[in-house]
Amino acid sequence: MTSIASVTLEVADVTAADRFYTAFGLGTQLRLRASDAPTTGFRGFALALTVAQPADVNAFVGAALDAGATTLKPASKSFWGYGGVVRAPDGTILKVASSAKKDTGPATREIEKVVLLLGAEDVAESRKFYVGQGLVVAKSYGRKYVEFAGQGPVKLALYGRRALAKDVGVPADGTGSHRLVLGGAGAFTDPDGYAWETVATPAAAA
């Protein structure tokens, strides 16, 4: 296994979720599956979108809010750039950010990178687990953050669970299902309970 082949969100209403993610701009990167598995609080993950400039952040955040999302962190400037965080109607947390603080043109709504951030209780141990599964580390900041290389539409990264919750503006507590299934070359569950399933789809397709 060298990358994520697919990302499946388990949602209560597939039709409504499909409508939301299509309007938001992630209709081709995600799969949806019906589920009523119990879940409360922070599910332990977030989808992070990197875009070129603040205008694109505002465009994506605006589209999400128009489609029914709620604001967790309003789009604003910070020392690292410009970004905002919203929660989709199905509960998935979406972070949209740009390293640029000024616009260079009109919004294009082009996504430069999508990263699935998995909250880990022990980033170093989870990194070791995924390396053992065949993933290759692309970026690493000790026990704080690890991003893996891959050619799929969504990159995989590990973030400390409490640090991730703080970053997206929610309490870290949560119980029940992650409502998330990752597709790859094997079926297993990682140290933090994130489930993977075997998919035949090439890594370059969602």
Side-chain angles (χ1 to χ4, degrees):
M1 187 180 74
T2 57
S3 64
I4 299 176
S6 65
V7 174
T8 299
L9 299 177
E10 296 185 330
V11 300
D13 187 331
V14 172
T15 300
D18 180 65
R19 186 163 52 244
F20 171 83
Y21 288 107
T22 298
F24 180 68
L26 279 179
T28 61
Q29 286 92 341
L30 301 174
R31 295 178 178 182
L32 302 171
R33 179 185 300 170
S35 174
D36 59 1
T39 184
T40 61
F42 182 42
R43 296 179 189 170
F45 75 93
L47 280 167
L49 281 64
T50 301
V51 296
Q53 58 183 350
D56 293 302
V57 173
N58 292 334
F60 276 104
V61 169
L65 297 177
D66 289 344
T70 55
T71 301
L72 292 178
K73 283 190 173 183
S76 62
K77 288 183 180 179
S78 69
F79 70 91
W80 48 260
Y82 185 88
V85 184
V86 299
R87 193 197 307 268
D90 67 271
T92 299
I93 295 174
L94 304 161
K95 177 181 179 180
V96 189
S98 170
S99 59
K101 296 183 180 181
K102 295 183 178 180
D103 293 323
T104 57
T108 64
R109 286 200 64 181
E110 292 183 3
I111 300 172
E112 295 181 345
K113 183 168 66 171
V114 180
V115 180
L116 174 62
L117 300 169
L118 297 184
E121 291 298 334
D122 188 325
V123 172
E125 284 299 312
S126 292
R127 165 185 166 154
K128 182 179 178 181
F129 174 84
Y130 277 108
V131 169
Q133 296 295 326
L135 271 72
V136 176
V137 174
K139 298 179 183 178
S140 179
Y141 300 95
R143 292 181 175 271
K144 295 183 178 180
Y145 180 83
V146 177
E147 186 173 316
F148 297 97
Q151 300 302 314
V154 180
K155 308 298 182 184
L156 177 66
L158 305 174
Y159 206 158
R161 179 186 171 93
R162 292 193 175 280
L164 176 58
K166 181 179 180 180
D167 184 56
V168 297
V170 298
D173 296 334
T175 61
S177 173
H178 291 298
R179 293 281 187 97
L180 175 74
V181 179
L182 307 178
F188 57 86
T189 300
D190 83 356
D192 295 285
Y194 298 102
W196 287 71
E197 63 185 14
T198 304
V199 295
T201 306

